Amino acid sequence: MNRITGKTKLLGVIGDPIEHSLSPIMHNAAIEQMQLDLIYLPFRIQPSDLEAAIAGLSAIDLQGFSVTIPHKQAIMPLLSEITEVATTIGAVNTVWRSDQGWKGTNTDIVGFVAPLKTRMRSAVQASWNSSIAVILGNGGAARAVVAGCAELGFAEIHVVGRNAAKLQEFARSWALDSLSVHPWDQLSTVLPRADLIVNTTPIGMSPNVDQSPLTDQQANQIKSGAIAYDLIYVPNPTRFLQQAQQQGAETIDGSEMLVQQGAAALEIWTRKPVPDAVMRDALRNHLGLVS
Ligand code: NAP
């Protein structure tokens, strides 16, 4: 904090609540390493104050900001421009200044696909275009996951959800031949064929660490060599990832997505290469995880 001067520029994250956000930890660690005269702060903004707050953030010359729950959709009409990717997902998580005003995008796709792209380096996963993805849940994060799987070229993308009306609405919102949706009780029809299984539900998130979206019987259907990916990052590993590991699956936890969506945002704001390893270490240290 000693480095703050009259010239220091501001970045931040808006949400409500905001106390639990891990973004300030990651971003300020990277900013320090990059030796930039910037500081990244949390701003608790209630939904009814959003419009006034955005005008205020312009007035105080904020350079850019992250957007979290509950503002990811509500902010969209308040921006002067929105990228195609954010329009497809239907949510904005990163905002920056352009000549016209605030511009918004969504870096969750970049965050989601980053660890999968690393896996592609292995000979077995030379390409995803004959692979099958099964996505558990059909909420906000599932939209970024579907877009990410489509970008990687998955042959089949199956979304499994518990609410028939929401599931149909989800299906209708995509123009994607590879996408199909299934009620939860039909999970067994697709799970045994899955090369990638992604948990986008909050089931198993702390404090409910004994829960999993899969029963043990369902987990037995995961094929050896599949990739199990949980967007949850606390606990680490989740019960779902433990079940998958027992089946011989590779696992990916949600911390890397969190790091990579943040690194992509910081790169937009600074237009400089971002030390994602510094962000990863800061996050893992904060969460008490072994790096
Ligand atoms: P969301 O919009 O509320 O969506 C949650 C989805 O899970 C909905 O489809 C919901 O179904 C379903 N669901 C919830 N409880 C369920 C249950 N008991 N059985 C079956 N389905 C259930 O939330 P989100 O923003 O997508 O976030 C989802 C998870 O992803 C959270 O754990 C969040 O922390 C994590 N996340 C991680 C990152 C990262 O960077 N690692 C980024 C974004 C999100 P209904 O629609 O029927 O309620």
Side-chain angles (χ1 to χ4, degrees):
M1 294 302 134
N2 288 340
R3 63 186 177 77
I4 295 177
T5 69
K7 293 184 198 157
T8 305
K9 299 282 186 195
L10 297 176
L11 294 171
V13 52
I14 64 166
D16 183 24
I18 202 64
E19 299 81 42
H20 302 299
S21 173
L22 298 169
S23 296
I25 305 274
M26 293 194 304
H27 284 289
N28 286 317
I31 286 166
E32 195 171 339
Q33 168 84 22
M34 294 164 82
Q35 298 188 329
L36 300 173
D37 199 0
L38 277 171
I39 186 98
Y40 182 103
L41 297 170
F43 297 105
R44 178 175 174 225
I45 292 168
Q46 292 178 0
S48 56
D49 292 333
L50 184 63
E51 190 164 358
I54 301 307
L57 295 176
S58 291
I60 62 167
D61 198 30
L62 198 90
Q63 304 298 293
F65 54 98
S66 312
V67 186
T68 188
I69 292 169
H71 304 312
K72 286 183 170 193
Q73 283 93 29
I75 197 165
M76 296 177 80
L78 304 175
L79 303 174
S80 55
E81 212 179 328
I82 295 172
T83 60
E84 200 180 323
V85 97
T87 306
T88 303
I89 298 178
V92 160
N93 77 340
T94 302
V95 175
W96 70 100
R97 287 178 175 279
S98 72
D99 293 341
Q100 287 73 39
W102 292 118
K103 182 167 177 177
T105 193
N106 194 309
T107 62
D108 277 343
I109 297 185
V110 180
F112 169 70
V113 300
L116 291 171
K117 282 186 171 165
T118 313
R119 295 301 192 287
M120 261 206 297
R121 289 200 203 114
S122 75
V124 190
Q125 277 299 355
S127 133
W128 301 98
N129 58 20
S130 58
S131 300
I132 296 173
V134 170
I135 299 165
L136 308 174
N138 53 279
R143 298 195 67 84
V145 171
V146 167
C149 288
E151 183 185 302
L152 292 173
F154 273 82
E156 296 175 35
I157 303 170
H158 300 277
V159 173
V160 181
R162 63 177 173 178
N163 180 311
K166 284 188 189 173
L167 204 51
Q168 288 312 320
E169 178 63 33
F170 187 94
R172 270 196 296 275
S173 68
W174 296 90
L176 202 54
D177 290 342
S178 52
L179 178 73
S180 54
V181 300
H182 311 267
W184 204 274
D185 59 13
Q186 298 294 310
L187 178 58
S188 294
T189 61
V190 286
L191 192 57
R193 296 196 297 128
D195 301 292
L196 171 71
I197 306 131
V198 189
N199 177 31
T200 77
T201 79
I203 308 170
M205 187 158 67
S206 181
N208 302 313
V209 299
D210 294 331
Q211 295 181 3
S212 165
L214 303 183
T215 62
D216 284 339
Q217 205 177 2
Q218 287 169 328
N220 286 340
Q221 296 182 308
I222 297 176
K223 66 182 182 189
S224 170
I227 297 176
Y229 192 150
D230 203 331
L231 300 200
I232 295 171
Y233 40 87
V234 182
N236 193 317
T238 55
R239 170 127 180 77
F240 164 62
L241 292 187
Q242 288 172 353
Q243 288 172 316
Q245 208 159 24
Q246 277 166 14
Q247 292 301 119
E250 254 191 87
T251 60
I252 302 175
D253 67 70
S255 64
E256 192 59 16
M257 175 172 172
L258 189 66
V259 168
Q260 296 297 339
Q261 61 79 29
L266 193 55
E267 196 172 321
I268 289 172
W269 297 321
T270 63
R271 297 195 202 96
K272 292 185 191 324
V274 169
D276 57 349
V278 171
M279 298 178 87
R280 185 180 303 114
D281 285 350
L283 177 72
R284 295 183 77 84
N285 280 340
H286 182 79
L287 294 175
L289 303 172
V290 181
S291 283

